[in-house]
């Protein structure tokens, strides 16, 4: 096994990773793959505590959140334990936890392996973040600029550029746009049809990805949306007396995922020296919802999956994602 060495000063010509082994699974990636750090953008699915430091309507730094986290401590993660941001970093051997960039206890050394800019309640639609006072996606990009400035002052420009260029960037957003902003905000549902709002979200996502690329990102994964009509809150609100999955939500999600996938293919042709890939988890999560005994309990609250679900998602999908991004 060749471990990822992000904490030590190594020659830039040395490849950092060829093979990663964990107790749960072995992830094999192309021999020339280099992953210097992980950077996370998006919403509550991946937020590791940035909202703790905001005046916002969306927080989870109180019990019972974090019940199964280290020491049973609520940290601002919308789960009983870890979230995908942590699990990706852990699985790749970079860090056990991916720190929130706004954490006042963040140390300069923590910058080296990457950080998290995601904010619970954020979305590709600017109105989504505005409604709950989350960090807009545009502001998350500004925080990334601040990160790069701090990193350069700490490790120097050459190494900082290397870390940024060879980082793995993961974006997870869009759920709040559909569930909260479109279906529950009169401004949007009367202004847009399902198809036109989906197109608006994909255009917004594309603009975000192009800006991220312009700031130095070269390997970018965008998470697909899960079957939002099957989350407990929407089954209660829109699933009828039997609380079935709300098909209108799921059809919109499938349309978004399909159009996003097409846009990523277009961007791969338009952005030089970059690779973007969809991390498609829709089918996996749908199977979990339909067969909960097969996987254990699925949801932690009315909106967010439990840590167990995230672990399965990362374990089953990471290998293919790395091949898509680095082959």
């Amino acid at each position: 096994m060749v471990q990822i060495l992000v904490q030590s000063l190594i020659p830039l010509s040395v490849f950092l990773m060829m093979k990663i082994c964990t107790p749960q699974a072995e992830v094999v990636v192309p021999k020339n793959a280099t992953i210097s750090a992980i950077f996370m953008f998006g919403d509550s699915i991946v937020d590791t505590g940035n909202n703790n430091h905001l005046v916002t309507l969306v927080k989870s730094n109180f019990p019972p959140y974090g019940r199964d986290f280290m020491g049973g401590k609520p940290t601002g993660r919308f789960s009983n334990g870890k979230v995908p941001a942590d699990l990706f970093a852990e699985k790749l051997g970079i860090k056990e936890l991916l720190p929130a960039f706004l954490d006042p206890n963040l140390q300069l050394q923590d910058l080296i392996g990457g950080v998290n800019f995601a904010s619970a309640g954020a979305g590709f639609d600017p109105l989504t973040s505005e409604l709950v006072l989350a960090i807009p996606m545009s502001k998350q990009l500004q925080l990334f600029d601040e990160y790069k400035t701090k990193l350069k002052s700490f490790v120097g420009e050459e190494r900082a550029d290397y870390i940024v260029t060879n980082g793995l960037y993961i974006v997870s957003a869009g759920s709040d746009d559909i569930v909260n902003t479109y279906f529950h905000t009169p401004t949007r549902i009367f202004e847009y049809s399902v198809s036109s709002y989906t197109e608006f979200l994909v255009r917004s996502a594309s603009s975000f990805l192009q800006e991220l690329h312009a700031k130095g990102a070269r390997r970018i994964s965008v998470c697909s949306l899960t079957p939002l009509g099957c989350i407990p809150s929407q089954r209660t609100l829109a699933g009828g007396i039997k609380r079935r999955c709300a098909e209108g939500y799921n059809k919109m999600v499938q349309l978004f995922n399909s159009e996003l996938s097409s846009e990523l293919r277009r961007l791969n042709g338009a952005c030089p020296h970059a690779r973007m890939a969809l991390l498609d988890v829709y089918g996996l999560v749908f199977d979990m919802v339909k067969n909960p005994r097969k996987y254990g309990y699925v949801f932690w609250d009315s909106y967010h999956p439990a840590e167990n679900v995230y672990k399965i998602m990362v374990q089953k999908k990471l290998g293919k994602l790395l091949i898509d991004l680095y082959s």
Side-chain angles (χ1 to χ4, degrees), residues 202 255-266 278:
V202 172
L255 178 62
F256 173 82
N257 289 343
S258 176
E259 293 192 3
L260 177 62
S261 180
S262 296
E263 180 62 13
L264 291 178
R265 287 194 294 270
R266 188 191 73 79
L278 183 71

Side-chain angles (χ1 to χ4, degrees), residues 6-237:
V6 296
Q7 303 297 331
S8 59
L9 291 169
I10 59 175
L12 299 187
S13 60
V14 175
F15 287 125
L16 299 183
M17 181 180 69
M18 292 175 59
K19 192 174 183 181
I20 303 162
C21 300
T22 70
Q24 294 86 4
E26 183 179 85
V27 179
V28 179
V29 298
K31 292 182 179 180
N32 64 339
T34 299
I35 302 179
S36 56
I38 291 185
F39 303 99
M40 197 71 55
F41 300 83
D43 57 22
S44 59
I45 298 298
V46 291
D47 186 356
T48 54
N50 281 312
N51 276 28
N52 294 350
H53 314 289
L54 305 177
V55 179
T56 175
L57 302 176
V58 188
K59 291 193 176 188
S60 61
N61 56 344
F62 52 86
Y65 291 100
R67 184 187 69 185
D68 301 311
F69 196 75
M70 304 171 183
K73 179 183 177 182
T75 60
R77 290 167 171 82
F78 284 77
S79 175
N80 58 309
K82 295 179 179 179
V83 294
D86 304 308
L87 297 171
F88 279 115
E90 182 179 32
K91 197 77 168 177
L92 291 171
I94 293 177
K95 293 183 177 185
E96 187 174 11
L97 301 171
L98 193 67
F101 183 64
L102 295 186
D103 185 346
N105 296 316
L106 189 73
Q107 302 296 310
L108 287 174
Q109 187 71 18
D110 297 328
L111 301 176
I112 296 176
V115 294
N116 194 333
F117 305 99
S119 173
F124 292 122
D125 182 347
L127 179 60
T128 301
S129 302
E130 183 181 334
L131 289 171
V132 296
L133 304 178
I135 304 172
M137 300 298 285
S138 57
K139 175 63 175 178
Q140 292 182 32
L141 288 174
Q142 292 175 21
L143 292 177
F144 180 52
D145 286 336
E146 292 181 23
Y147 162 85
K148 291 194 295 181
T149 299
K150 290 183 178 180
L151 183 67
K152 286 182 180 180
S153 68
F154 180 52
V155 301
E157 184 171 358
E158 183 182 12
R159 191 178 179 214
D161 288 345
Y162 179 81
I163 290 171
V164 169
T165 300
N166 291 284
L168 171 59
Y169 295 77
I170 301 177
V171 182
S172 174
S175 297
D176 292 304
D177 295 317
I178 292 176
V179 171
N180 298 328
T181 307
Y182 184 73
F183 282 106
H184 294 109
T185 304
T187 303
R188 291 302 191 231
I189 201 167
F190 291 124
E191 183 181 0
Y192 294 92
S193 65
V194 166
S195 60
S196 63
Y197 188 68
T198 300
E199 291 171 1
F200 167 65
L201 290 183
V202 172
R203 286 197 305 271
S204 298
S206 180
S207 295
F208 175 87
L209 295 172
Q210 291 176 70
E211 288 187 55
L212 185 59
H213 173 261
K215 293 178 184 297
R218 292 296 177 266
R219 294 294 185 271
I220 306 172
S221 169
V222 186
C223 300
S224 75
L225 299 187
T226 61
L228 297 175
C230 296
I231 63 177
S233 62
Q234 301 316 306
R235 293 175 71 165
T236 299
L237 294 172

